[in-house]
Amino acid sequence: MKVIVDHSLCEGHGRCMENVPEVFEVRDDDRSYPLMKEIPEELRARVEHAVTVCPRAAIKLVE
Amino acid sequence: MNNGNESLTLQNLDITDTDRYVRDGYPWAAWDLLRNEAPVFWYQRPRHEPFWAITRHEDIRYISRHPELFSNTQILRISDVESVRIGQRGRVRNANRYGGSAEDPPDFIFMDPPEHRQHRGAVSRLFTPRAMRALETHFAEMAENYVSRFAKVVVDQMTAKGEHGVVDVVHELSAKLPVAAICEMAGIPEEDWDQIFRWTETLVGAADPEYRLPGENQEQTLRRSSGEWRRYNENLVENRLKTGLGADILSTLMQAEVDGAALTPREISNYFTLLVAAGNETTRNSITGGIKALLDHPDQLQRLIAEPDLVPSAVEEILRWTSAVIQFQRTVTEDLEIRGQRIRKGESVVMWYPSANRDEDVFTDPYKFDIARDPNDHFAFGGYGEHFCMGAHLARWEMRSIFHALLPALPKLSLASEPELVAGSLHVGGIKRMMVRASA
């Protein structure tokens, strides 16, 4: 499982980083970056939640 | 017609009659009925084009995530047919003034991706959480200042008139910080802020006779005030060209490029209008609504005073509770189904945000005002997706600052009147005044 953040949408609202700081980092350019290439299965539920609460719907999960 | 004696049914409910909003407030019971019995409801009433009324949180979430299926380029919000005609004539005049076509999007909310992202991106950096955090201390100082001035007005009234001394929260407090903050960001000189507020009131409230000059109709009021505003706006642009560009919103628009081309004068003017108006209109109503909510729920107010760390959470609950923005509309781009209802290409769907914010599937005990509610994924800033409110963090910081500063004074206030809604508005539940007095 991978995550993709669409930088044409992301404005650095930071809900992903609040929810899963191991996986998302909002940097000084106001964009969120995934910190892992492959997301471990035990983080799935929290990453799915981050997808749901992103205010711009900018995050996608790819199996 | 439902006159209060007759029971509410899908046939007689009404969510578009603005006179009822003014008289009875938001139609919560009608939204509850729709959500529970007909969440995708073909709504046909006199004076309105028919539309699909969407009232559940989950469905609004779906629509907001799919701008390719639900377009912003046609009509953005429902209003009565007369207001729609006035709007169309305004678009023609705007095109005559600036060039282009009346079919051009008035501002970037009327765009779909990819254009929407490029145009919004021209200014969105000014409104990010990081940009707002940098202003946190400044907002706090301004809020303290406005709250102490408000407190002084209340005390003066009480001294002068005793128990008859009442003060309008909207003009004496709620409007102050939102106007000041967006005007500062916009680079508008302080001596003009009161005038900016009056233009906003008039442009948003022209359907309400209170904001018209004697003898004017709605359209004449709109033409007059938008003409005054645009002349002011053009002077600001000329001044920037003389004195040099800064980091403010107007300068940013003037320097912006989309696909290597500068924005046109029409785009600059319309985007600036959108940001200044949207930046002070909705937050004012949320602040007023929040003051009422806290005064109506003294247990929650006492808890907030005891635990001021709950202010950010209380602000989210105030946003949910107040739901200042009533609806936005989308046009369906292909035949599709929502909850088994066939919806055809070209038909309208209207998302009723206050209804989503009372959805029992998402919010436990939705009619309970709970300043510690968690989670609280309200749609006060619209559904999550392409068009989520760009000013959400500005609004949050303004509200946190104001409520933080106002908390100690709140228990000494009581409502002297219910909030009075601006007539004729089906987009924002604008509160024109709400009187308070100092408690004995």
Side-chain angles (χ1 to χ4, degrees):
Chain A
M1 177 180 46
K2 292 182 170 58
V3 286
I4 298 173
V5 179
D6 183 342
H7 280 182
S8 76
L9 276 167
C10 179
E11 289 173 346
H13 291 273
R15 295 290 302 275
C16 53
M17 190 166 70
E18 281 165 31
N19 279 282
V20 212
E22 313 89 297
V23 174
F24 299 99
E25 180 182 65
V26 177
R27 299 195 183 145
D28 283 352
D29 62 354
D30 295 310
R31 286 181 172 137
S32 171
Y33 291 82
L35 297 172
M36 299 174 183
K37 282 207 166 123
E38 201 53 42
I39 309 298
E41 197 53 34
E42 64 266 25
L43 291 177
R44 175 183 286 274
R46 285 167 60 213
V47 171
E48 282 174 349
H49 182 67
V51 170
T52 310
V53 300
C54 172
R56 296 293 317 279
I59 310 171
K60 277 195 179 65
L61 268 183
V62 184
E63 298 298 332
Chain B
M1 297 292 278
N2 175 43
N3 58 14
N5 300 320
E6 197 184 326
S7 67
L8 195 64
T9 67
L10 292 175
Q11 285 68 43
N12 70 13
L13 65 78
D14 193 307
I15 55 175
T16 50
D17 179 351
T18 52
D19 291 343
R20 290 192 187 202
Y21 280 72
V22 171
R23 196 183 61 219
D24 306 328
Y26 281 6
W28 296 110
W31 285 326
D32 288 349
L33 186 68
L34 284 169
R35 223 172 33 250
N36 290 309
E37 291 188 14
V40 183
F41 180 69
W42 184 243
Y43 183 94
Q44 288 180 286
R45 296 292 185 271
R47 296 180 65 230
H48 286 275
E49 292 292 326
F51 58 83
W52 293 99
I54 309 293
T55 42
R56 283 206 192 160
H57 193 278
E58 186 185 352
D59 298 338
I60 293 179
R61 173 188 292 282
Y62 175 77
I63 293 169
S64 307
R65 289 184 86 94
H66 292 283
E68 74 286 2
L69 297 175
F70 302 95
S71 169
N72 276 39
T73 58
Q74 308 295 311
I75 303 176
L76 207 49
R77 44 187 89 96
I78 49 162
S79 35
D80 60 273
V81 284
E82 176 57 17
S83 298
V84 171
R85 276 191 217 112
I86 292 174
Q88 280 161 349
R89 290 195 287 265
R91 285 167 84 151
V92 171
R93 274 196 306 279
N94 204 284
N96 290 340
R97 185 182 180 104
Y98 288 102
S101 145
E103 308 301 314
D104 290 342
D107 59 55
F108 55 78
I109 307 186
F110 288 83
M111 294 177 183
D112 293 333
E115 291 81 10
H116 173 255
R117 290 179 201 176
Q118 297 172 310
H119 286 251
R120 170 171 166 140
V123 278
S124 59
R125 289 284 169 270
L126 299 177
F127 296 89
T128 60
R130 197 170 54 96
M132 292 302 112
R133 268 196 304 277
L135 295 170
E136 179 182 353
T137 315
H138 180 53
F139 284 157
E141 284 168 7
M142 284 201 289
E144 293 286 349
N145 180 21
Y146 286 126
V147 166
S148 37
R149 282 202 240 167
F150 169 72
K152 186 174 181 311
V153 174
V154 174
V155 169
D156 288 351
Q157 274 292 308
M158 205 175 61
T159 312
K161 298 183 186 164
E163 63 184 45
H164 300 294
V166 293
V167 174
D168 173 23
V169 166
V170 174
H171 287 84
E172 297 298 337
L173 180 64
S174 310
K176 297 289 185 189
L177 182 60
V179 171
I182 195 69
C183 285
E184 272 194 359
M185 289 179 69
I188 294 173
E190 184 164 359
E191 61 268 25
D192 299 334
W193 293 356
D194 286 342
Q195 180 59 52
I196 299 293
F197 175 54
R198 281 194 294 276
W199 277 322
T200 306
E201 269 192 318
T202 311
L203 288 171
V204 178
D208 189 324
E210 177 160 339
Y211 300 108
R212 301 182 200 157
L213 293 179
E216 274 183 343
N217 64 28
Q218 177 180 351
E219 186 166 15
Q220 290 163 333
T221 303
L222 273 176
R223 287 184 66 164
R224 173 181 52 81
S225 50
S226 60
E228 289 168 3
W229 162 249
R230 287 194 190 280
R231 277 189 292 283
Y232 176 80
N233 198 335
E234 285 162 6
N235 281 338
L236 278 185
V237 170
E238 278 170 33
N239 279 338
R240 288 290 189 293
L241 291 173
K242 276 185 215 144
T243 59
L245 300 174
D248 57 84
I249 295 172
L250 185 58
S251 299
T252 303
L253 286 169
M254 290 169 68
Q255 294 169 90
E257 286 190 359
V258 171
D259 280 339
L263 297 178
T264 66
R266 179 180 155 282
E267 287 167 338
I268 293 172
S269 172
N270 288 0
Y271 296 2
F272 191 65
T273 306
L274 166 72
L275 297 173
V276 171
N280 81 70
E281 161 66 10
T282 45
T283 317
R284 153 165 59 102
N285 297 315
S286 304
I287 291 172
T288 308
I291 292 171
K292 173 173 162 59
L294 288 167
L295 292 179
D296 283 347
H297 300 88
D299 60 318
Q300 296 294 304
L301 175 56
Q302 284 313 320
R303 181 168 179 199
L304 191 54
I305 289 166
E307 300 171 67
D309 287 352
L310 283 175
V311 164
S313 156
V315 163
E316 298 307 312
E317 181 67 345
I318 287 167
L319 286 160
R320 182 189 77 89
W321 189 254
T322 309
S323 294
V325 177
I326 301 170
Q327 47 86 17
F328 270 112
Q329 179 167 2
R330 302 284 186 260
T331 305
V332 175
T333 60
E334 59 184 69
D335 291 0
L336 50 82
E337 282 189 10
I338 305 179
R339 288 189 193 273
Q341 283 286 4
R342 284 283 305 275
I343 299 182
R344 294 185 187 280
K345 180 179 175 176
E347 290 179 341
S348 288
V349 295
V350 176
M351 299 174 283
W352 296 85
Y353 301 112
S355 174
N357 286 343
R358 295 293 185 278
D359 191 328
E360 303 78 357
D361 288 347
V362 176
F363 301 101
T364 312
D365 219 345
Y367 283 93
K368 183 178 172 200
F369 179 71
D370 176 4
I371 59 163
R373 184 178 289 279
D374 181 28
N376 194 349
D377 288 307
H378 61 74
F379 285 167
F381 296 119
Y384 300 164
E386 187 75 29
H387 294 279
F388 182 81
C389 175
M390 196 172 79
H393 291 278
L394 174 60
R396 284 181 163 127
W397 277 115
E398 289 171 3
M399 292 176 67
R400 289 171 192 167
S401 310
I402 281 290
F403 282 103
H404 197 83
L406 185 62
L407 264 188
L410 266 179
K412 298 172 205 145
L413 295 178
S414 58
L415 283 188
S417 72
E418 288 299 306
E420 200 180 322
L421 289 192
V422 176
S425 167
L426 199 50
H427 177 51
V428 171
I431 303 172
K432 63 163 90 162
R433 64 182 76 81
M434 183 176 85
M435 311 307 287
V436 296
R437 63 164 62 91
S439 320

